[in-house]
Amino acid sequence: MSASYRIAEAAALLGVSDDTVRRWIDSGRLPARRDGGGPAHVAGADLARVATQLHEPPEPGTTRGSSARNRLTGLVTRVVRDTVMAQVEIQAGPFRVVSLMSREAADELGLDVGVRAVATVKATQVSVDVP
């Protein structure tokens, strides 16, 4: 038996609103079925297809080349430098990301409060790129 999801469940899994899922169903982007006039259900395979489209890799040139895929774009909110290291804090939407790097790297990237930056999260390491 294949998995199917009600609109609210599909929205929660995709991280969008119920209304967005309804619009996608109405426009044909996301197929749905109704059995006997009951609530609409979305097949798991169709939901997975849309989920992968929502998180496609960024356009070429968005950041320097990288094998990492988890990028959080935001604003630098704090930079603490000493003679060797720098602590850089980025607010990316609801996420606060902190990266420790060499002072030289922070200086070369021009990281200061208010600069737009991209935090790249890979395993337990956070790298910072400038768009």
Side-chain angles (χ1 to χ4, degrees), residues 64-96:
R64 296 179 182 101
S66 176
S67 65
R69 297 291 176 255
N70 301 314
R71 291 183 168 84
L72 301 168
T73 301
L75 287 175
V76 174
T77 56
R78 184 172 183 229
V79 180
V80 179
R81 289 176 167 92
D82 68 14
T83 56
V84 177
M85 297 298 293
Q87 176 182 325
V88 179
E89 295 182 20
I90 298 172
Q91 191 67 41
F95 306 106
R96 177 178 165 262

Side-chain angles (χ1 to χ4, degrees), residues 8-113:
E9 293 171 318
L13 288 167
L14 296 176
V16 299
S17 70
D18 295 8
D19 287 339
T20 297
V21 171
R22 286 187 192 92
R23 282 192 296 274
W24 290 345
I25 291 169
D26 292 343
S27 71
R29 179 178 183 185
L30 184 61
R33 63 175 170 73
R34 290 184 190 273
D35 293 329
H41 281 78
V42 177
D46 291 325
L47 193 62
R49 177 185 49 78
V50 170
T52 59
Q53 292 171 351
L54 292 177
H55 302 287
E56 291 182 3
E59 293 295 319
T62 303
T63 60
R64 296 179 182 101
S66 176
S67 65
R69 297 291 176 255
N70 301 314
R71 291 183 168 84
L72 301 168
T73 301
L75 287 175
V76 174
T77 56
R78 184 172 183 229
V79 180
V80 179
R81 289 176 167 92
D82 68 14
T83 56
V84 177
M85 297 298 293
Q87 176 182 325
V88 179
E89 295 182 20
I90 298 172
Q91 191 67 41
F95 306 106
R96 177 178 165 262
V97 181
V98 179
S99 179
L100 300 176
M101 65 183 71
S102 70
R103 180 190 177 122
E104 181 181 7
D107 291 346
E108 285 178 5
L109 290 171
L111 296 174
D112 285 308
V113 173

